Amino acid sequence: MNYYSTNDSAAEMSFKEAVIKGLPHDKGLFFPKEIPSLPASFFEQLPSLSLPAIAFEVLQPFVAPDITAEDLQKICDEVFTFPIPLVEVEKNIYSLELFHGPTCAFKDVGARFMSRCLQAFAEPDRPVTVLVATSGDTGSAVANGFLGLENIDVVVVYPQLGVSEIQEMQFTTLGQNTSAVGIEGTFDDCQALVKQAFSDEELNQKKNLSSANSINVARWLPQMVYYFHAWGQWKNLNPEAEEVTIAVPSGNFGNLAAGLLARQMGLPVTYFVAATNRNKIVPDYLETGVYTPASSVCTIANAMDVGSPNNFPRIQELFGDDLEALQKVVKGFWVDDEKIKSTIKLVHQENGYMLDPHGAIGYLSLQQLLPDLKTPGIFLETAHPAKFKKSMEEVLGQEIELPEQLKVFKGRQKQVTDMPNDFAGFKMLLMQEHKEGTL
């Protein structure tokens, strides 16, 4: 499979080249030249297939010939080691729990898959520096996925006041081949610094940079797998049902773009919901046809505090920039903090189910939209509620128990370099040689 740039002025690259490069030089996004269709036999077998088996079938066309079938099967067996269950919350509304991995967030899937790909591609005499901006869960998933790998250094860039305490602990206390940089600004500022780093010629001559945000195809593509897995579980529970809607809490829109790519491969999902917090650029676009990125607004659902979604061009590419075609499949929804909080409290009281702030947005979108869409619905529960311990305890008025994956970070000492939102200083920092836990 070859990949082209969504800006259409960069040379095509193989999967290996696209993964290592991260971003095309024209500042577009890599996109597969072909979108394969999966056979009817795959969907007939899907309800009984394991996660690694689904991953192998879905991803093989996208990684060949750079990753052999044997190596891909090994990667899938190493990555998909934790459950991703579909849980009924109430009649016709299900939660796809994506928080059972090592860092309790959906990004464990993409980060672990990408780490294995980069490890396979890294050259001993040319170490790779993985540069990642995070609004919370990406940083911890990437740092954990790459921890201890030879010839790969990881630099996590995050807004100093824009992530939860537990999220911050997960990527600032690891040391080894990981470093953290706290920026005085928003996630959008961090994302802009990372993008500028990839376009800086001097920096790229000295450092072999690669991205681990969902802009990287090796982070983005494996997210398709759990949509197929969700549908298989749903069909087991509802063998006669034909239509379903999936609500995706959305920030940078890589997750939704992956679901829509799965749909183009044949996944029979009728509608998707782009569910956001007050950073509602895409819901506004779906309503008005005007796409206007804006400064991000801080909310209780901090991982979605993105005012200029990186992955939205991939969604436009999937639909050929046809707004009307997009509107037929993707429905927009947004909600403010007060409604998120009241929803978390109400669902916990009435159903005994604990939503995190991001999952609450997905749940609420289904509650409001399903009567008109006339289908059952699945929402993605993207992170464990305990990752937002302080906010959740304030909402529910009770202590939230930390899962074992998070308890290990309590009491560890942070190692972080704080700096202003300034590319010159950021570049100078990156040019330094890596030392454990610091640049």
Side-chain angles (χ1 to χ4, degrees), residues 7-20:
N7 283 350
D8 211 26
S9 60
E12 289 184 8
M13 291 190 173
S14 67
F15 178 73
K16 176 180 178 179
E17 291 169 328
V19 171
I20 293 174

Side-chain angles (χ1 to χ4, degrees), residues 114-386:
M114 182 188 169
S115 71
R116 272 60 175 184
C117 292
L118 261 184
Q119 187 179 36
F121 297 153
E123 301 172 7
D125 59 343
R126 187 158 165 72
V128 174
T129 297
V130 175
L131 198 55
V132 57
T134 185
S135 56
D137 289 327
T138 295
S140 55
V142 169
N144 179 277
F146 284 86
L147 186 64
L149 296 187
E150 293 183 5
N151 294 314
I152 299 176
D153 295 327
V154 178
V155 180
V156 179
V157 188
Y158 72 104
Q160 293 172 7
L161 302 178
V163 302
S164 76
E165 181 182 2
I166 292 175
Q167 287 173 322
E168 186 180 32
M169 294 293 289
Q170 284 186 295
F171 57 77
T172 61
T173 63
L174 297 174
Q176 297 188 51
N177 60 329
T178 67
S179 303
V181 181
I183 299 297
E184 295 174 3
T186 66
F187 169 73
D188 292 329
D189 295 325
C190 299
Q191 192 161 253
L193 288 173
V194 168
K195 281 186 172 182
Q196 196 169 348
F198 280 104
S199 62
D200 187 279
E201 187 174 341
E202 181 186 11
L203 181 57
N204 280 267
Q205 285 179 350
K206 181 171 176 65
K207 293 282 188 176
N208 188 17
L209 296 181
S210 185
S211 168
N213 284 88
S214 52
I215 51 179
N216 192 300
V217 290
R219 256 285 319 275
W220 174 53
L221 292 171
Q223 294 177 132
M224 286 190 294
V225 173
Y226 44 74
Y227 288 97
F228 289 96
H229 183 53
W231 187 86
Q233 293 180 82
W234 177 73
K235 286 298 284 184
N236 274 330
L237 295 170
N238 304 276
E240 303 303 319
E242 294 298 329
E243 295 191 302
V244 68
T245 297
I246 298 183
V248 185
S250 300
N252 234 348
F253 279 80
N255 214 353
L256 178 59
L260 292 168
L261 179 59
R263 186 179 187 272
Q264 291 222 5
M265 294 179 71
L267 184 66
V269 173
T270 314
Y271 304 108
F272 280 87
V273 181
T276 76
N277 54 26
R278 289 175 57 207
N279 296 281
K280 57 189 181 75
I281 291 83
V282 172
D284 283 350
Y285 170 70
L286 291 168
E287 182 178 350
T288 67
V290 179
Y291 188 72
T292 310
S295 297
S296 59
V297 179
C298 293
T299 75
I300 189 175
N302 66 279
M304 295 159 57
D305 292 348
V306 183
S308 181
N310 253 342
N311 275 283
F312 193 65
R314 283 187 172 130
I315 294 176
Q316 293 175 306
E317 195 75 14
L318 281 164
F319 287 87
D321 280 322
D322 185 335
L323 175 60
E324 187 175 343
L326 179 62
Q327 289 170 324
K328 288 178 180 177
V329 176
V330 180
K331 310 303 174 183
F333 176 86
W334 74 276
V335 67
D336 63 21
D337 276 6
E338 290 310 308
K339 190 64 177 176
I340 295 170
K341 293 175 183 178
S342 63
T343 299
I344 291 171
K345 191 171 185 177
L346 185 64
V347 171
H348 190 250
Q349 288 174 343
E350 294 190 349
N351 301 328
Y353 190 84
M354 191 178 295
L355 298 163
D356 91 292
H358 308 80
I361 298 173
Y363 165 86
L364 191 57
S365 74
L366 292 178
Q367 245 206 354
Q368 295 200 9
L369 296 178
L370 290 184
D372 290 332
L373 299 179
K374 302 186 187 314
T375 77
I378 298 168
F379 67 92
L380 304 192
E381 183 59 62
T382 55
H384 196 289

Side-chain angles (χ1 to χ4, degrees), residues 6-143:
T6 53
N7 283 350
D8 211 26
S9 60
E12 289 184 8
M13 291 190 173
S14 67
F15 178 73
K16 176 180 178 179
E17 291 169 328
V19 171
I20 293 174
K21 181 72 174 171
L23 278 173
H25 73 78
D26 64 359
K27 301 182 182 179
L29 297 173
F30 284 116
F31 196 85
K33 191 172 182 181
E34 301 169 19
I35 299 177
S37 296
L38 292 165
S41 58
F42 171 74
F43 293 99
E44 291 169 2
Q45 299 169 20
L46 188 53
S48 62
L49 293 178
S50 68
L51 259 171
I54 295 170
F56 178 84
E57 294 297 330
V58 169
L59 295 172
Q60 188 177 28
F62 294 96
V63 305
D66 294 313
I67 296 180
T68 66
E70 182 180 359
D71 287 342
L72 177 61
Q73 188 63 69
K74 181 181 177 183
I75 290 172
C76 292
D77 288 341
E78 288 181 359
V79 169
F80 293 92
T81 57
F82 50 89
I84 303 178
L86 189 69
V87 178
E88 186 173 17
V89 176
E90 61 188 60
K91 186 178 180 181
N92 288 330
I93 296 183
Y94 300 81
S95 166
L96 184 68
E97 294 186 343
L98 293 160
F99 55 71
H100 295 282
T103 72
C104 300
F106 79 96
K107 296 176 182 181
D108 282 324
V109 169
R112 283 156 65 88
F113 185 84
M114 182 188 169
S115 71
R116 272 60 175 184
C117 292
L118 261 184
Q119 187 179 36
F121 297 153
E123 301 172 7
D125 59 343
R126 187 158 165 72
V128 174
T129 297
V130 175
L131 198 55
V132 57
T134 185
S135 56
D137 289 327
T138 295
S140 55
V142 169

